Amino acid sequence: MRQFYYTMITLLRGRSSTTIKLISLTLGLLVGILLFSQIAYELSYEKCYPEPEHLVMVRALITNQKTGEVMGDDGSPYDETVFAPLAPAMAEDMPEWVESATTVYPSGENPVYKENKLLDAHYILADTCFFRTMGIEILKGNSQDFTMPGSVFVSRSFARKVFGGEDPIGKTLSLDKRQEVTIRGIYQDMPENSMLKHDFVLSIHRESGYQGGESGIAMIFIMLSCACAGHRTWMR
């Protein structure tokens, strides 16, 4: 009891400095938690996919055929966009290497409307192999419906935000009040720490081809087969 008594007397006499120390300690712990949370967020970037070690993006290395000089933009020798038909061509020509491949236009530019304009609605365009290649779970609908032009699959959170408790399947959205698109399915939400941020995915298919035509420039993602996932030098 005497030890406890002297401890309380000491704390009471120096209560102002004790309060400052407690506040400093609390702020230090808070900053530490925020810092480690940010580090964990950065280290998990693009790790949200079921098999991130098998998922790769095709990049083009452009060189001058006469001089051999690398011709790149922004200080990088690689271009992250290639011709859109490359994805199905690689899947067909290299089945022993490529399990699945998808073509993606990473950003839709038109504003989205459902009666009124939807703020902060982000979408991408992709082909029917998108969900299979990226490993994104479809919660409702059939991915084969994505072959129909004007088809849209929405994320679960977007469906709840825009349609509430209603079933969004079969309902329509408008892009820039010029193109009407129909919701065909719902997929599992993806986290923010990914280069492809989207509330919904619009079908890239147009009249047995791609939007933008055969010369359209897009991003290509490939799910490698398990046999070659550890040997990617062939893609460089």
Side-chain angles (χ1 to χ4, degrees), residues 62-219:
I62 304 174
T63 59
N64 187 311
Q65 292 184 348
K66 294 182 179 180
T67 64
E69 180 183 1
V70 174
M71 303 169 61
D73 297 328
D74 302 324
S76 172
Y78 294 100
D79 190 339
E80 294 182 351
T81 56
V82 295
F83 291 116
L86 180 62
M90 293 184 72
E92 181 179 353
D93 295 343
M94 295 184 290
E96 71 278 13
W97 296 96
V98 178
E99 182 175 316
S100 180
T102 185
T103 302
V104 178
Y105 291 168
S107 59
E109 299 177 351
N110 293 322
V112 183
Y113 291 84
K114 178 188 174 291
E115 299 174 356
N116 298 316
K117 183 178 180 180
L118 301 178
L119 301 177
D120 299 324
H122 304 286
Y123 69 96
I124 61 175
L125 293 86
D127 62 17
T128 188
C129 295
F130 174 74
F131 298 102
R132 175 188 172 192
T133 302
M134 309 303 283
I136 300 175
E137 181 184 2
I138 294 178
L139 303 177
K140 191 172 185 179
N142 189 333
S143 63
Q144 293 305 311
D145 292 341
F146 217 47
T147 58
M148 293 185 288
S151 296
V152 164
F153 274 53
V154 299
S155 68
R156 178 164 59 180
S157 60
F158 181 81
R160 289 176 176 174
K161 177 182 176 181
V162 176
F163 297 97
E166 298 181 42
D167 185 358
I169 304 298
K171 298 187 181 300
T172 61
L173 299 171
S174 175
L175 304 182
D176 201 22
K177 294 186 177 181
R178 293 184 299 178
Q179 179 185 1
E180 191 173 88
V181 296
T182 304
I183 298 174
R184 306 288 183 185
I186 303 172
Y187 61 87
Q188 183 64 269
D189 288 9
M190 299 301 292
E192 288 292 321
N193 52 343
S194 171
M195 66 185 298
L196 295 178
K197 296 180 174 62
H198 46 90
D199 296 301
F200 64 88
V201 185
L202 172 64
S203 173
I204 204 174
H205 297 283
R206 295 290 184 276
E207 299 177 356
S208 301
Y210 288 147
Q211 178 170 306
E214 294 299 304
S215 61
I217 300 298
M219 300 177 74

